[in-house]
Amino acid sequence: MAAQQSALLLRKQLNELKKNPVEGFSAGLIDDNDIYKWEVLIIGPPDTLYEGGFFKAHLYFPKEYPLRPPKMKFITEIWHPNIDKTGDVCISILHEPGDDKFGYEKASERWLPVHTVETILISVISMLADPNDESPANVDAAKEWRENYTEFKRKVARCRKNNWGGKSNFRSCTEIAHNFPASKMTYKSTT
């Protein structure tokens, strides 16, 4: 029963994103037969070190969604204090609901059933613009962010260049989105 309800909710969110695309990302299913595995393309936010990059990630939803959060993993290389070296995203709203046993996060900052795919991805885009180096998933990136910002910027630039924007001959965000499972994706052009 819970799985049926979560599948219906995820289908509704997917349809809403198709109908009303949100600027900054595209989202769709990895496989049309599995509503619990999503693929997203995040466009590096303007006026950040990630601007001009195109970063692919996967969202894996549990059958207990929305009572439990999904996991998010970047598939393309990204250098960020809150994304570990294997691509796993560490952000408060993706942490299990309830009190943090270490006392670092308030329960209200952690997963709540009101979160949607849209709110998750907007939070991740915000995280790209404003890293939390006090609670890093990638200690090396956090240390560089604080102590050697020039080197941090160089590594981000390399990742940005290597992630679609620099390797390809795409001319615009729209063209990239159309070449990224277009039948499954939503996209609102910023150009």
Side-chain angles (χ1 to χ4, degrees):
M1 183 71 145
Q4 287 177 327
Q5 290 175 332
S6 63
L8 286 172
L9 181 58
L10 286 168
R11 182 74 53 202
K12 181 180 177 186
Q13 289 181 24
L14 179 63
N15 289 335
E16 182 62 29
L17 285 171
K18 285 181 180 178
K19 219 178 356 173
N20 299 303
V22 178
E23 196 166 313
F25 70 85
S26 295
L29 301 179
I30 294 172
D31 175 347
D32 286 336
N33 297 315
D34 190 348
I35 193 70
Y36 295 100
K37 295 179 182 173
W38 290 45
E39 190 164 79
V40 297
L41 177 66
I42 294 178
I43 300 161
D47 302 320
T48 70
L49 298 178
Y50 301 90
E51 182 175 19
F54 300 92
F55 304 94
K56 188 164 87 169
H58 288 167
L59 276 168
Y60 304 101
F61 292 88
K63 302 276 195 246
E64 300 85 10
Y65 177 82
L67 300 177
R68 293 192 54 234
K71 303 273 186 233
M72 185 170 179
K73 183 179 193 76
F74 276 88
I75 304 306
T76 51
E77 182 185 8
I78 189 163
W79 187 248
H80 190 280
N82 306 114
I83 302 168
D84 76 16
K85 292 177 183 179
T86 66
D88 291 323
V89 175
C90 180
I91 188 171
S92 296
I93 70 162
L94 293 180
H95 293 163
E96 290 292 334
D99 292 326
D100 177 11
K101 65 182 179 182
F102 302 109
Y104 181 73
E105 300 167 330
K106 297 176 191 166
S108 62
E109 296 171 325
R110 295 167 69 89
W111 180 257
L112 298 169
V114 297
H115 287 300
T116 63
V117 173
E118 180 178 340
T119 63
I120 293 165
L121 294 176
I122 288 171
S123 293
V124 170
I125 290 168
S126 177
M127 176 196 76
L128 290 177
D130 187 22
N132 176 1
D133 65 337
E134 293 176 20
S135 178
N138 182 334
V139 176
D140 295 334
K143 185 175 179 185
E144 278 184 3
W145 169 263
R146 285 189 303 262
E147 298 173 11
N148 191 351
Y149 193 68
T150 302
E151 181 63 15
F152 180 85
K153 284 183 2 182
R154 187 188 67 73
K155 287 181 180 173
V156 170
R158 188 193 77 232
C159 291
R160 186 184 63 235
K161 190 189 265 186
N162 289 340
N163 287 331
W164 301 53
K167 277 188 174 177
S168 65
N169 293 322
F170 293 119
R171 290 187 189 87
S172 69
C173 298
T174 304
E175 191 174 346
I176 287 176
H178 288 308
N179 285 288
F180 187 79
S183 64
K184 302 176 191 173
M185 306 304 282
T186 61
Y187 180 76
K188 182 175 178 182
S189 176
T190 58
T191 56

